[in-house]
Amino acid sequence: MNIIVIAEHFKNSIEDITFEMLGKGKELAGATGGQLIAVLLGNDAKALADNLRAAARIVYCDSPHFAEFNPEAYGKALAAIVPGLSPGMILVANTSAGMDLAAGLSVDLGIPLVAYANAITAGSATSQLYGGKVNVESALAAGPVIIAVLPGSFAADAGKGGGAPAVEAVAAPDFSSLKTRFNKRMEPESGDVDITQQDVLVSVGRGIQNEENLAIVQALADKLGGALASSRPIVDNKWLPKTRQVGKSGLKVKPKVYLAVGISGAPEHWEGMKDAECIIAINVDPKAPIFGFAHYGTTADLFDVVPAITAAI
Amino acid sequence: MNIIVSIKQVPDLVEELEIAASGKELNREWLKYKINEFDDHALEEALCLKETLGATVTVIALDGEDIDKVLFTAAAKEADKLVKVTGVGDNPSSHEAAKALAGVISGMPCDLILTGVQAADDRDGQLGVLLAHYLGVPHVSVVTGVSVAGNTATVHKEYGGGVIAEFEVSLPAVLGIQAARQTPRYVPVARVRQAMRAATIDEVGGNTGGVSAGTSISRMFKPESGAGAQMLEGAPADIAAKIVGIIREKGIKV
Ligand SMILES: Cc1cc2nc3c(=O)[nH]c(=O)nc-3n(C[C@H](O)[C@H](O)[C@H](O)COP(=O)(O)OP(=O)(O)OC[C@H]3O[C@@H](n4cnc5c(N)ncnc54)[C@H](O)[C@@H]3O)c2cc1C
């Protein structure tokens, strides 16, 4: 079965999720006697293609419309290119960009989609659903299927390096009637602290209940000589600046110690802190997904245990 | 301007989720439902657009558990029209839901369709993108900012690291909302009761047009707990002492 990997890149560099998909795709193509084919859309795509040599074949498409991600232009091109590759399985990143592609491709090509996948075999794909509380395995019928792959599910190293694949260019479709136009990209304002450079992060989630209570976790972060970070809802509430957000749409952090306080451990949060050396979770819900990947945990109430830690130092 | 907001209920993730004896579905008997939190943000953004630009906000949902109450809650928040799509069956896949909604929405006046970027049970993909493709209109997901001028929406799409891309999209379009410009408003129960008396829900028959998820669920399971955390027990002071010990072990000088 041919495994098609839709390569994701950002700011002129191939994203790790692409290597994860190439690694997994290679294994699946090998097991089923098919070819691993990478599809790359870009403004100067050929220059990036060399990174995708884990594939047996690289199909790239150049267009000024691909200089920045554009849901419509990318979607249109993929719907034109993919059917010609005799796809068995199409791997798309379950990322901000990939989310705009996978479901559209499913409708345009009439191919089923399994999203949020963190495990894949030739006949099944497992989705991480319900905020990470339940995994759902789908049986794949014969015929092509699209799988949206959660970043961090597979080893990126397995998709690096490789041989001398065939590299082919395909022409871009007609983009004269696009209804979606890219304007500009905006970088976040740099904050007072860089949470990616800290040894200790005290990270706070919705369990903290209100803005005033942040003082409790801030006091602990100060005592530990670390910084305060948070899950997304805290930033959405504007209780902390965006630069403190850890996760899929926030920053990726690797501190020595990550103290997760009142954070459930949703997959989108996990993406940003999974590489922390030591994760300690404080959460009253014994079934919270965070306990599935924390190293240490307690179900004690944060309002009891956080002040107690501060007092104990 | 006509804004349509598509909302749905999902199991409340704070509650314990039990897997049914079949191993292929949740035990729904005791499940507590709540509005998908990202749909709540979509509704909030629509209401903010209405306040700043003037708009008719129509909230649409597939029939299901407690959906009338959720629709009336939207009315209490000043949504103008409520539509319930019937005949689709329980727990439809994203494809079925999107197809049925597309059928109904295509007959309605509409400039902008807002829905949550994702939902906790989207096994076969996000509703907004599917809906856009069934309707043949453009879409942007992971949206954290929307403004509209004339026939064009300017939207902010968020990537990792807080990087934002700005797009201009010709209307009508579907936007998958990640976060509204402000925290979704809260309405007291009394206002919802009032809305229940004053507002009406239009019921429209829906049709999934034969689409399906195209795959079937073979197994549901909880993530392995074997790989889980070493749990610290005792009184808060004991737990605190253990945590301080662990932090020091990691070479942090405190
Ligand atoms: C495209 C996309 C991108 C996203 N990006 C991110 C991201 O970058 N970062 C991110 O964090 N999220 C992100 N999310 C959101 C994510 O899906 C979750 O909604 C979010 O992580 C939940 O945050 P939380 O854990 O603080 O809140 P909740 O899930 O509500 O968890 C709160 C926890 O606090 C516990 N608690 C309550 N009271 C107490 C107490 N007294 N003591 C101890 N524990 C208590 C509860 O048991 C619960 O587990 C994204 C979502 C989408 C769709």
Side-chain angles (χ1 to χ4, degrees), chain B residues 76-98:
Chain B
K77 293 180 176 183
E78 305 293 322
D80 302 286
K81 291 182 186 165
L82 311 175
V83 177
K84 179 163 78 176
V85 179
T86 59
V88 174
D90 294 335
N91 311 312
S93 65
S94 300
H95 281 71
E96 290 166 302

Side-chain angles (χ1 to χ4, degrees), chain B residues 152-236:
Chain B
T152 303
T154 302
V155 305
H156 287 174
K157 174 183 175 72
E158 209 178 275
Y159 297 117
V163 177
I164 286 173
E166 185 178 278
F167 293 95
E168 272 176 24
V169 190
S170 305
L171 302 182
V174 179
L175 304 179
I177 302 292
Q178 164 86 60
R181 64 187 77 178
Q182 63 185 35
T183 307
R185 64 198 67 190
Y186 169 81
V187 280
V189 182
R191 288 259 299 283
V192 178
R193 282 208 203 95
Q194 219 174 342
M196 278 175 166
R197 288 190 295 270
T200 52
I201 297 176
D202 286 337
E203 289 194 23
V204 186
N207 190 332
T208 58
V211 303
S212 74
T215 59
S216 56
I217 294 176
S218 46
R219 187 162 73 102
M220 273 195 184
F221 58 102
K222 304 267 177 89
E224 270 173 51
S225 52
Q230 182 183 328
M231 298 307 281
L232 310 171
E233 314 285 349

Side-chain angles (χ1 to χ4, degrees), chain A residues 10-11 68-72 75 94-108 111-116 124 126-141 145 178-188 199-200 206 223-225 232-233 236-238 242 245 247-252 256-257 259 268 277-280 282 285-287 289-300 304-305 308-310 312-313, chain B residues 10-19 24 26 28 34 37-38 41 95 117-126 129-131 133-134 136-142 144 151-154 156-172 178-184 212-225 227-237 239-241 243-244 246-254:
Chain A
F10 194 51
K11 299 182 185 171
E68 292 282 343
F69 178 73
N70 178 324
E72 192 182 359
N94 203 124
T95 53
S96 177
M99 243 189 244
D100 261 320
L101 298 175
L105 208 52
S106 168
V107 172
D108 292 353
I111 297 179
L113 162 65
V114 179
Y116 312 97
S124 75
T126 302
S127 310
Q128 197 172 18
L129 300 181
Y130 301 101
K133 279 198 158 180
V134 179
N135 287 343
V136 181
E137 184 186 85
S138 299
L140 309 176
V145 62
L178 284 185
K179 293 177 175 148
T180 312
R181 295 163 297 278
F182 171 83
N183 268 356
K184 61 179 174 189
R185 198 168 64 202
M186 293 171 282
E187 301 293 327
D199 281 344
V200 182
R206 202 138 52 176
K223 264 273 176 82
L224 289 170
R232 169 147 203 143
D236 281 342
N237 286 341
K238 303 188 171 64
K242 187 78 188 171
Q245 184 190 320
K248 188 185 197 76
S249 48
L251 293 161
K252 314 264 181 288
K256 287 194 177 130
V257 175
L259 203 60
E268 295 85 2
E277 227 173 89
C278 176
I279 299 165
I280 308 171
I282 302 171
D285 176 7
K287 297 283 163 60
I290 189 102
F291 293 126
F293 50 88
H295 303 95
Y296 298 93
T298 172
T299 54
D304 296 328
V305 95
I309 306 171
T310 311
I313 299 167
Chain B
V10 290
D12 187 344
L13 300 181
V14 170
E15 304 287 317
E16 166 136 29
L17 303 178
E18 220 178 89
I19 293 164
K24 296 183 180 187
L26 292 181
R28 296 197 176 258
K34 59 179 279 204
E37 68 170 299
F38 304 111
H41 277 271
H95 281 71
V117 57
Q118 68 180 48
D121 56 357
D122 275 349
R123 182 178 67 97
D124 59 320
Q126 299 79 23
V129 182
L130 295 165
L131 185 56
H133 279 257
Y134 284 129
V137 303
H139 61 86
V140 180
S141 347
V142 201
T144 55
N151 194 32
T152 303
T154 302
H156 287 174
K157 174 183 175 72
E158 209 178 275
Y159 297 117
V163 177
I164 286 173
E166 185 178 278
F167 293 95
E168 272 176 24
V169 190
S170 305
L171 302 182
Q178 164 86 60
R181 64 187 77 178
Q182 63 185 35
T183 307
S212 74
T215 59
S216 56
I217 294 176
S218 46
R219 187 162 73 102
M220 273 195 184
F221 58 102
K222 304 267 177 89
E224 270 173 51
S225 52
Q230 182 183 328
M231 298 307 281
L232 310 171
E233 314 285 349
I239 294 168
I243 290 177
V244 173
I246 294 163
I247 293 171
R248 287 186 177 138
E249 235 169 69
K250 290 288 148 194
I252 309 299
K253 302 227 172 346
V254 285

